[in-house]
Amino acid sequence: MTEMEAIKVLLVCPDESKLVAISKRLKAAGIVFIFEATTARQALTIIKDKPVDCLISNIDLPDIDGWRLTRLIRCGALNCSVDLPVIIVTDVWCQRIAQVTAREFGVNRLLAQRNLDEIGSVVARCCRGGVVPQSKPRLLVIEDAPDTADLVKRVLDRQYNVDIATNGEDGLRLWRQNRHRLILLDFMLPNMSGKEILDEILSEDANQPVVMMTAHTSADLAEDMMLAGAADFLPKPFRTEQLRRVCELAVRRDDYLTSNREFAHQVESLQKSEQAFRLVSETHQQLLHNLQTVVMELDEQLEIRFLNYPWKTLTGFEVEESLGTSLRDYICEEESGSYVGLQTRLKAVLKQVKGSTEIELCLFDKTRQKLWAQMKVRRSELHKTPSLTICLDNITKRKEAQRQLEYLAMHDSLTGLFNRHYFEESLRQAYADSLRNKRTHGLIYIDLDYFKVINDTFGHQEGDEVLRQISQLMTCRIRATDLLCRLGGDEYAVLVHDVSDNKLYEIAEDLQNIINDFTYQAEGHRVNLGCSIGLSIIDGRSICAEEYLMQADIALYVAKGRGRNIIHHYDPDDNESEELRSRINWTQRMRQAIADNRIILHFQPVLDARTNKVVYYEALVRMLDESGKLVYPNQFIPALENTGEMHLLDRWIVKLAIEAVNKWKKINRVAINLSAQAFKDDNLVPVIKEALSANLVDPEAITFELTESASLFNLNVTKRVINQLNDIGCSFAIDDFGSGFSSFAYLKQLPADYIKLDGSFVKNLHIDEVDKALVKSLIQVVQALGKKAVAEFVENDEILKILQEFGVDFVQGFHTGRPVAPELLDDRQKSLSL
């Protein structure tokens, strides 16, 4: 069987005569497997049932046009390769429109009906991969500044094949060789100036798009360059988005101007035949009909001379009824005042004062609904009088998304109140006002007491409803000048402007009464809430605005500690304040230590009890204080756990430990301790995956440890996270096993690979007979379940020998190896002699 005989072609054409004609030519080329369809629906059925090597389709189909059929294939939704070669056969032929449309829709080849004799060779080339859609156009950058040239290449490399020349002579040589789609030309160059290079290029090809770049921006220079024939003007230094936009505009301008020239040429050549002229006009209108962009032409009076069909899709107005009307007729009444400015900008392009412009304007559709559109305007001279060619894109969804993002950036999505970000900014403004105008403001920090009971009892959906209702009630109480925000969870803050101590307390009492009087009914139950409130006065005496939020937070902590449902004004002499400040201080120090890279790991070996060889290392966290002194975890971890910040340290330890496996050959396997809070962190598994990928570390080299008590805290969550870690390839260990009463009951449920015996049973093993019995039993249970038993706190040789007699798998302790920095592991290991 020959190459052509093996090709399976799906041919879609609603016109029977054309279908037969194309089929005959395919058979003449040696293609025997041809599946025929007259609609896109029939074609899709064939694609589902039969393997196809190439699709040939008309543009016009009765259900889905050829462009959309191609996009359906390229999106990967069908039972075929997304790279299936697609050839579109069309009666209409405008070279540039064909190129642009084919590139945007992923068509391999657009073939004119008059060139059907080539279809066999085109199919063969497409099936061999010789015709690939969306090939990148060439871009020439003539720039003598390496940094600028490199920036352009990095920004535009995905869209273009970029050539770079550092002087005019090399640039002209490259251009003459490749005839680039677009040129970025620096105005100031050695030997030849940008103006001279531009003149020489345009003297050889007047249609070559050239964008001028210069750091010496002025209106006169921009005007001179545009009048000299530049497609656009790019001042330096430029932003990456600005660079992309200018290049896209230049290429699109070239596409549309070239398309217009080609269209005009064909119309002119067919003027002798009115029927032929009408045919070409209608078929080109059909091409424009299939575009999503509205193409519009305005005359000198800014009246609409031409429209394509997407205008009706956008506005609901018929094309015919809109021709001859003014653009002003479709601008929203609220925006009509800006029409004078719009008119000025359009007239500037029309009179060539400005080469092009982009405008966002608000229109209305036939139902008088607002819509936003972006206009890209160019001057056209296709007629005796100049006109404007406009591409109009619907950006209503983008505008709505922008407004929504602006709203979400300042508001809480659940309650509609202002959020923490907006509150913190408002707090800084209040602080500045107190400094400047010597006025005092108040801060009320509210925490709902026992709100967690509602979530745990009735579910989060009911809890959310409670938060919404309470938010509405408090909103009705605060003054118009004050600000109520939800900081997160069940915490609220009220910023009270220009208030005294007594008045602030009265407002806090009113809010507390509102919450105390609130009753929520759910599932036949009535639920009442209370709240603890902390107060602070913003008087401008603190060093920063954030200090007042901390004061209110401390006052809230004191109120909760003294019995809840209490209002407490911040007092620096409170004993509880000092305790909370200590916790917050440790949290801040830990965050700063992470930022300064002062969190380090020491590694303690875990040995095989039979061979005395290192099986893996356990990573143990340390902090270096500001003076470089070593701080052990018992000093800072309790504070992090109490303030809910432990998950930040967990993530950082994971990152450091995995980096150590990659960096130090001695550490071929490592155990990483995780806190109970880590298992509530939705970002934990993604952080682990990212660290493994970034360091090219095998997941099997990582074991995660969690204490027995932490794993029992929420068994379902623990099991879910362990399964996720196992899916990655990591193993899991239970630490401090034996300390809980439920150990034997839950051990079967956790897919752990290693079980570490509680050190309190091991450290006195050589002097306590009860501990001996317990440890021996625990080892037997662990091993009976097919897991490895690890004994820690092995402090002397006597304990080690007892554990070896009991058949423990692995041992760990100061006797077998102390925790040391990774760079000391080799020396330390040489000194081990068991």
Side-chain angles (χ1 to χ4, degrees):
M1 182 181 293
T2 64
E3 176 190 9
M4 299 298 286
E5 289 174 340
I7 296 175
K8 298 178 179 63
V9 173
L10 172 57
L11 175 58
V12 192
C13 181
D15 189 321
E16 289 289 344
S17 62
K18 292 180 181 179
L19 188 69
V20 172
I22 298 173
S23 184
K24 284 182 178 180
R25 284 174 171 79
L26 291 173
K27 292 175 180 177
I31 298 174
V32 294
F33 293 107
I34 304 173
F35 306 107
E36 297 181 352
T38 58
T39 67
R41 187 179 296 275
Q42 293 175 4
L44 293 173
T45 301
I46 293 172
I47 289 175
K48 292 176 183 177
D49 297 335
K50 297 178 175 64
V52 176
D53 301 314
C54 182
L55 170 66
I56 301 174
S57 175
N58 264 60
I59 291 178
D60 294 318
L61 299 174
D63 40 8
I64 300 177
D65 58 69
W67 303 124
R68 291 189 293 157
L69 180 58
T70 304
R71 291 306 305 149
L72 192 57
I73 291 170
R74 295 290 180 250
C75 75
L78 302 181
N79 186 27
C80 66
S81 170
V82 295
D83 298 321
L84 177 70
V86 177
I87 300 169
I88 297 291
V89 178
T90 177
D91 297 330
V92 183
W93 192 250
C94 179
Q95 181 66 28
R96 182 53 63 92
I97 291 179
Q99 292 172 349
V100 173
T101 309
R103 183 172 69 246
E104 293 184 352
F105 283 86
V107 174
N108 294 68
R109 178 70 183 272
L110 212 68
L111 191 66
Q113 190 77 29
R114 64 175 181 267
N115 296 328
L116 280 182
D117 290 337
E118 303 173 13
I119 196 163
S121 61
V122 171
V123 170
R125 286 188 60 210
C126 288
C127 290
R128 288 195 296 264
V131 181
V132 180
Q134 298 180 332
S135 58
K136 294 194 293 187
R138 298 189 75 89
L139 169 71
L140 174 60
V141 182
I142 307 177
E143 170 62 62
D144 62 335
D147 289 344
T148 302
D150 180 66
L151 174 61
V152 173
K153 183 173 179 61
R154 285 188 288 106
V155 171
L156 301 179
D157 190 58
R158 292 176 64 88
Q159 293 88 8
Y160 300 90
N161 287 318
V162 181
D163 294 327
I164 296 177
T166 57
N167 57 68
E169 294 82 359
D170 291 343
L172 289 171
R173 177 179 53 78
L174 284 173
W175 174 71
R176 290 180 178 122
Q177 289 175 358
N178 300 297
R179 293 292 175 170
H180 297 76
R181 183 70 183 281
L182 178 64
I183 298 174
L184 295 181
L185 175 59
D186 187 20
F187 184 78
M188 300 295 292
L189 289 167
N191 299 331
M192 294 182 69
S193 70
K195 176 65 167 57
E196 293 172 335
I197 298 169
L198 176 66
D199 291 342
E200 190 161 341
I201 290 174
L202 296 183
S203 68
E204 295 183 32
D205 183 355
N207 296 321
Q208 171 66 54
V210 180
V211 174
M212 299 299 297
M213 304 184 296
T214 180
H216 305 287
T217 306
S218 70
D220 292 339
L221 180 59
E223 181 178 343
D224 290 344
M225 290 301 96
M226 289 299 184
L227 292 174
D232 212 331
F233 189 79
L234 185 63
K236 295 190 297 184
F238 46 77
R239 300 186 302 274
T240 57
E241 188 58 36
Q242 182 185 16
L243 173 63
R244 291 192 186 98
R245 184 183 301 171
V246 168
C247 291
E248 180 185 0
L249 286 173
V251 170
R252 288 200 173 189
R253 166 189 174 274
D254 185 49
D255 288 337
Y256 283 116
L257 292 180
T258 303
S259 298
N260 282 336
R261 285 193 294 270
E262 292 172 354
F263 183 83
H265 176 73
Q266 291 192 23
V267 171
E268 183 179 356
S269 66
L270 294 173
Q271 281 181 340
K272 295 180 181 180
S273 171
E274 182 178 354
Q275 183 179 2
F277 171 79
R278 186 165 55 252
L279 177 62
V280 171
S281 176
E282 290 173 354
T283 52
H284 279 80
Q285 179 67 42
Q286 187 62 43
L287 272 177
L288 292 173
H289 166 92
N290 291 324
L291 296 176
Q292 295 181 350
T293 298
V294 174
V295 179
M296 174 188 294
E297 186 180 21
L298 301 181
D299 61 18
E300 290 183 299
Q301 284 71 46
L302 303 185
E303 292 184 351
I304 300 173
R305 178 184 289 177
F306 172 82
L307 282 170
N308 63 340
Y309 184 77
W311 170 258
K312 181 180 178 181
T313 305
L314 177 67
T315 66
F317 293 103
E318 296 290 342
V319 171
E320 292 75 13
E321 69 176 298
S322 301
L323 294 176
T325 60
S326 172
L327 179 63
R328 185 173 190 171
D329 297 338
Y330 304 96
I331 295 178
C332 279
E333 296 178 359
E334 295 88 340
E335 303 291 328
S336 59
S338 62
Y339 180 74
V340 175
L342 171 65
Q343 188 179 38
T344 301
R345 295 179 67 179
L346 294 177
K347 291 285 187 181
V349 177
L350 197 62
K351 296 177 181 179
Q352 294 184 306
V353 175
K354 192 173 184 180
S356 65
T357 189
E358 285 190 20
I359 304 170
E360 290 184 359
L361 71 163
C362 186
L363 307 176
F364 63 83
D365 61 17
K366 198 164 186 175
T367 63
R368 308 302 293 184
Q369 296 295 314
K370 289 183 180 181
L371 60 92
W372 281 91
Q374 183 181 51
M375 298 175 60
K376 298 175 182 178
V377 186
R378 287 282 179 179
R379 188 175 188 272
S380 174
E381 295 183 356
L382 295 177
H383 311 284
K384 292 181 180 179
T385 57
S387 61
L388 295 175
T389 299
I390 296 175
C391 294
L392 203 66
D393 290 307
N394 188 355
I395 59 170
T396 304
K397 288 185 178 180
R398 191 184 80 190
K399 282 286 188 179
E400 290 175 351
Q402 287 176 348
R403 284 196 292 268
Q404 184 67 15
L405 287 173
E406 290 170 359
Y407 179 86
L408 292 176
M410 296 186 297
H411 292 80
D412 171 48
S413 59
L414 176 65
T415 63
L417 300 177
F418 286 107
N419 59 15
R420 189 182 194 100
H421 173 76
Y422 187 84
F423 169 77
E424 290 174 348
E425 182 60 33
S426 301
L427 178 60
R428 284 189 283 269
Q429 292 176 7
Y431 172 66
D433 178 74
S434 66
L435 286 174
R436 184 172 55 253
N437 299 315
K438 307 302 180 185
R439 287 189 295 191
T440 59
H441 309 292
L443 177 55
I444 304 174
Y445 201 145
I446 304 171
D447 183 270
L448 303 182
D449 293 333
Y450 307 111
F451 177 75
K452 186 176 183 297
V453 175
I454 295 179
N455 277 337
D456 293 344
T457 305
F458 304 108
H460 288 275
Q461 186 173 357
E462 298 295 333
D464 290 347
E465 181 59 28
V466 169
L467 293 176
R468 278 190 288 266
Q469 292 187 23
I470 287 180
S471 299
Q472 292 173 1
L473 292 172
M474 289 195 293
T475 300
C476 297
R477 168 58 186 87
I478 64 169
R479 304 178 304 181
T481 56
D482 300 335
L483 178 69
L484 171 64
C485 302
R486 181 182 176 221
L487 301 186
D490 58 351
E491 295 181 350
Y492 297 84
V494 183
L495 195 59
V496 185
H497 292 88
D498 200 8
V499 68
S500 64
D501 287 12
N502 293 336
K503 184 62 177 178
L504 181 66
Y505 196 91
E506 289 177 10
I507 295 173
E509 278 187 322
D510 287 346
L511 294 173
Q512 187 181 56
N513 290 334
I514 287 173
I515 295 172
N516 288 337
D517 294 341
F518 172 79
T519 300
Y520 183 73
Q521 295 186 357
E523 300 181 7
H525 298 279
R526 295 168 60 88
V527 179
N528 294 93
L529 293 174
C531 67
S532 299
I533 297 178
L535 305 179
S536 66
I537 288 292
I538 304 168
D539 53 11
R541 297 178 183 177
S542 296
I543 59 173
C544 64
E546 289 74 15
E547 179 68 20
Y548 295 105
L549 181 58
M550 181 183 294
Q551 290 177 6
D553 193 11
I554 291 172
L556 175 64
Y557 170 78
V558 174
K560 295 174 78 71
R562 293 183 179 179
R564 298 179 183 265
N565 205 28
I566 290 174
I567 301 173
H568 183 73
H569 200 295
Y570 171 74
D571 184 347
D573 295 330
D574 289 332
N575 293 330
E576 300 98 326
S577 299
E578 187 59 35
E579 178 186 345
L580 185 58
R581 278 189 178 276
S582 175
R583 293 181 184 177
I584 296 173
N585 181 54
W586 273 115
T587 301
Q588 292 173 338
R589 289 182 64 185
M590 185 274 292
R591 285 178 173 271
Q592 190 60 47
I594 290 176
D596 296 342
N597 202 25
R598 288 188 283 105
I599 300 296
I600 63 172
L601 297 180
H602 283 184
F603 295 87
Q604 185 174 33
V606 178
L607 276 60
D608 188 309
R610 290 175 291 278
T611 65
N612 291 337
K613 293 183 178 179
V614 176
V615 181
Y616 64 88
Y617 291 90
E618 180 178 1
L620 302 171
V621 67
R622 308 286 189 260
M623 178 193 292
L624 294 175
D625 67 13
E626 294 78 359
S627 64
K629 182 181 178 182
L630 209 59
V631 182
Y632 288 88
N634 62 317
Q635 295 179 259
F636 55 85
I637 283 183
L640 299 181
E641 291 176 335
N642 286 325
T643 56
E645 298 284 337
M646 190 62 200
H647 64 284
L648 298 177
L649 184 60
D650 283 321
R651 294 184 199 173
W652 195 251
I653 292 172
V654 167
K655 174 179 175 293
L656 292 178
I658 293 176
E659 286 178 353
V661 175
N662 178 42
K663 182 178 180 181
W664 302 98
K665 292 183 179 180
K666 191 69 179 178
I667 307 175
N668 58 350
R669 189 179 187 91
V670 69
I672 304 171
N673 290 287
L674 294 176
S675 70
Q677 292 179 17
F679 278 56
K680 302 175 185 178
D681 184 1
D682 292 336
N683 290 321
L684 173 65
V685 175
V687 166
I688 293 170
K689 288 181 178 178
E690 182 181 350
L692 291 170
S693 175
N695 291 280
L696 302 176
V697 170
D698 186 347
E700 293 185 357
I702 306 299
T703 297
F704 290 99
E705 293 187 3
L706 183 67
T707 63
E708 177 190 6
S709 57
S711 61
L712 281 172
F713 182 75
N714 193 329
L715 191 57
N716 290 331
V717 173
T718 302
K719 288 167 63 177
R720 175 175 57 81
V721 177
I722 292 174
N723 287 329
Q724 290 177 341
L725 296 175
N726 286 340
D727 290 341
I728 297 173
C730 303
S731 53
F732 182 76
I734 297 175
D735 200 1
D736 297 339
F737 177 69
S739 58
F741 292 101
S742 304
S743 300
F744 296 102
Y746 90 98
L747 187 58
K748 296 179 183 179
Q749 301 183 44
L750 291 179
D753 304 279
Y754 306 94
I755 306 295
K756 300 185 73 171
L757 309 183
D758 191 311
S760 63
F761 300 142
V762 176
K763 63 183 179 180
N764 295 320
L765 195 61
H766 58 304
I767 58 175
D768 193 318
E769 294 299 322
V770 174
D771 284 347
K772 285 184 182 180
L774 285 173
V775 169
K776 186 174 183 179
S777 299
L778 292 174
I779 292 172
Q780 291 173 348
V781 170
V782 170
Q783 293 177 341
L785 291 172
K787 307 178 189 299
K788 299 292 185 182
V790 184
E792 53 185 355
F793 282 78
V794 180
E795 307 301 319
N796 55 54
D797 192 58
E798 193 175 352
I799 294 175
L800 175 62
K801 288 178 179 178
I802 294 172
L803 290 169
Q804 289 172 330
E805 290 175 7
F806 289 169
V808 76
D809 296 290
F810 305 139
V811 293
Q812 174 184 4
F814 283 3
H815 178 65
T816 58
R818 290 179 176 270
V820 293
E823 59 269 21
L824 301 177
L825 283 177
D826 287 337
D827 295 338
R828 176 62 187 168
Q829 203 55 42
K830 291 174 185 176
S831 67
L832 288 177
S833 58
L834 303 178

